[in-house]
């Protein structure tokens, strides 16, 4: 599924850049593993994972299977702002087949509730 189609279907889905030297089957496997890993990371103040919150803006997998992630926070002054990128980097780097990971914090565009999945809205009772 293309990143554009995925984004249209679910607002919390990040853009996923796909390298040319990796087969579509391997991309699907890596993507599934990355999403599973991202769903293990939580903001300690919010009982929803960062993926369902829509905090992941971009995932880039290069030909060597190194993964770069752009993420944001619900607010720039988040108390775990200094720690969360490390948590994400550790989770992503642990996915089988991933050569390494780098996480960059971005605040443009600013996060808002429209990026949350339906699962996150239900968990937070934010309809």
């Amino acid at each position: 599924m293309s990143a554009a189609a995925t984004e249209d279907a679910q607002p919390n889905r990040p853009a996923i850049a796909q390298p040319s030297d990796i087969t579509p089957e391997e991309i699907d496997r890596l993507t599934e593993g990355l999403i599973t890993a991202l769903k293990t990371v939580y903001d300690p103040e919010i009982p929803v994972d960062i993926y369902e919150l829509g905090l992941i803006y971009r995932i880039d997998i290069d030909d060597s299977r190194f993964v770069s992630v752009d993420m944001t926070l619900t607010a720039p002054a988040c108390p775990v702002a200094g720690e969360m990128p490390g948590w994400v980097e550790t989770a992503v780097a642990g996915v089988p087949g991933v050569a390494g990971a780098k996480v960059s914090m971005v605040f443009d565009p600013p996060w808002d509730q429209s990026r949350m999945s339906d699962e996150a809205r239900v968990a937070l009772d934010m309809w």
Side-chain angles (χ1 to χ4, degrees), residues 15-117:
I16 301 177
Q18 301 179 4
S20 59
D21 288 347
I22 301 176
T23 66
E25 295 80 17
E26 178 71 0
I27 288 293
D28 289 346
R29 189 190 66 71
L30 284 171
T31 299
E32 183 177 318
L34 291 168
I35 291 169
T36 299
L38 291 167
K39 289 173 72 81
T40 68
V41 181
Y42 286 76
D43 180 324
E45 297 179 338
I46 303 173
V48 176
D49 67 78
I50 62 169
Y51 184 81
E52 296 300 335
L53 279 172
L55 298 181
I56 304 300
Y57 283 1
R58 184 187 64 85
I59 300 171
D60 181 33
I61 306 166
D62 72 16
D63 288 334
S64 68
R65 293 172 175 71
F66 187 90
V67 177
S68 299
V69 176
D70 286 350
M71 69 169 291
T72 195
L73 301 168
T74 56
C78 177
V80 294
E83 298 170 60
M84 194 175 294
W87 300 341
V88 174
E89 207 166 273
T90 299
V92 168
V95 172
V98 169
K102 180 179 185 322
V103 175
S104 298
M105 191 67 65
V106 298
F107 294 100
D108 187 31
W111 179 88
D112 65 52
Q113 294 176 5
S114 70
R115 297 198 48 89
M116 293 190 312
S117 70

